[in-house]
Amino acid sequence: VLTPALQANFNTAAVEVVDCPDLSAQPFSLAAPGICGSPAIVDIGGVPYLSPTPHLNHIYNLKHVAEEIGNPGAFFIGAGAGSWRLTGVNCELMPNTNIGTSDIKTTYAKIQGTEGVLHHYESNEFSILLNVLASNGAQGKVIKVTATTRTGPKNFVSCMRDALTAHYGDKTVGLGGAFVIENSNAKIHVMPDFAPEPLNTDAQVQQWLKFFDYKAPLTCLSIFVSHDPGLGLRVEHTHCFSAHGQGGHYHHDTTPVDVSY
């Protein structure tokens, strides 16, 4: 399903089922060695809680989420918004937390001055919106995807999501996991603090967001689903972090001739 779509959008691409490598090691640096065991994609809150005006009372905790999905020791990775009452500002969240072991490797990106800065996040609390893959954090069989030199218009994630949509139609199929952008910069946005005036149009939202061209390597945590069955799901959400202090919401690579996923 994925291979033809990727090969139409990249110079080289390969998809295979493999034994999960140790994802706690670099370059992934996750809070568990794997992403297998009781997998579930969880969508909480949403963009309507952010704009046109933020719903500041929507505060959640991943420990409670783990209990609600029947997996109290769950390992979570994904993309969301940090708790403004902990960070003092609106921010991008890269959830990477193992409830069962209490290992929190979550990071967040915020605007400081005119630049985006990346920090460690020492809590399981979040606000407004979140999209995560929940699992037992075990190693098992996973889908390994590699792609180099983007030749088409779609980013890495959208290419795979569109392939699922074309194949499964109205059946909702989701994937979640981690990937690394190598050998290319990427267009990333970081949300500034909440807008003082309502954001009523997409143009206003785009003007409010702060965009950056960040350098590789970037470790990305991604969730996507093929079809929204009327639940208001966010069909695609990817955040990234790095060892060099850059991170945020992934849009696409910016030097496609050099990129390697």
Side-chain angles (χ1 to χ4, degrees):
V1 175
L2 299 177
T3 303
L6 286 162
Q7 290 178 341
N9 203 64
F10 291 88
N11 187 46
T12 65
V15 180
E16 54 185 326
V17 176
V18 301
D19 291 324
C20 184
D22 182 1
L23 298 179
S24 66
Q26 293 184 349
F28 294 100
S29 301
L30 300 188
I35 54 173
C36 299
S38 304
I41 289 176
V42 187
D43 187 318
I44 301 164
V47 174
Y49 291 170
L50 178 64
S51 65
T53 56
H55 294 215
L56 300 182
N57 60 321
H58 286 267
I59 303 290
Y60 312 90
N61 194 295
L62 280 168
K63 287 186 177 180
H64 300 154
V65 174
E67 293 169 359
E68 288 293 328
I69 65 172
N71 189 357
F75 165 53
F76 293 102
I77 57 171
S83 174
W84 59 269
R85 67 181 186 180
L86 298 181
T87 62
V89 294
N90 186 32
C91 61
E92 307 284 348
L93 190 69
M94 285 61 80
N96 180 10
T97 184
N98 192 327
I99 304 300
T101 64
S102 300
D103 187 10
I104 302 175
K105 293 187 177 180
T106 299
T107 52
Y108 74 99
K110 69 175 183 177
I111 296 298
Q112 185 170 302
T114 59
E115 299 298 321
V117 294
L118 188 72
H119 296 285
H120 182 245
Y121 189 83
E122 299 180 358
S123 175
N124 288 309
E125 184 175 288
F126 63 97
S127 64
I128 297 178
L129 58 88
L130 192 83
N131 301 91
V132 286
L133 170 68
S135 73
N136 292 339
Q139 291 176 286
K141 295 295 184 181
V142 295
I143 301 172
K144 178 183 178 181
V145 180
T146 56
T148 62
T149 309
R150 181 167 59 85
T151 56
K154 297 178 181 179
N155 72 32
F156 183 59
V157 176
S158 294
C159 183
M160 292 187 285
R161 180 177 61 81
D162 287 348
L164 293 182
T165 301
H167 185 79
Y168 291 104
D170 291 342
K171 182 180 179 180
T172 301
V173 176
L175 287 178
F179 63 89
V180 176
I181 303 174
E182 301 174 327
N183 307 324
S184 171
N185 288 9
K187 181 180 180 179
I188 305 293
H189 83 236
V190 177
M191 295 186 295
D193 205 0
F194 299 112
E197 301 294 334
L199 301 172
N200 293 308
T201 67
D202 288 342
Q204 289 174 324
V205 171
Q206 293 300 305
Q207 186 175 20
W208 168 68
L209 293 171
K210 304 300 180 184
F211 292 91
F212 302 96
D213 190 45
Y214 282 162
K215 63 182 181 180
L218 294 165
T219 300
C220 300
L221 310 175
S222 185
I223 309 296
F224 54 96
V225 296
S226 62
H227 172 70
D228 174 17
L231 298 176
L233 300 179
R234 187 165 188 166
V235 296
E236 181 178 319
H237 203 183
T238 303
H239 282 188
C240 62
F241 64 93
S242 69
H244 52 269
Q246 296 180 332
H249 179 106
Y250 163 81
H251 286 264
H252 55 76
D253 56 79
T254 57
T255 50
V257 68
D258 299 320
V259 74
S260 175
Y261 290 96

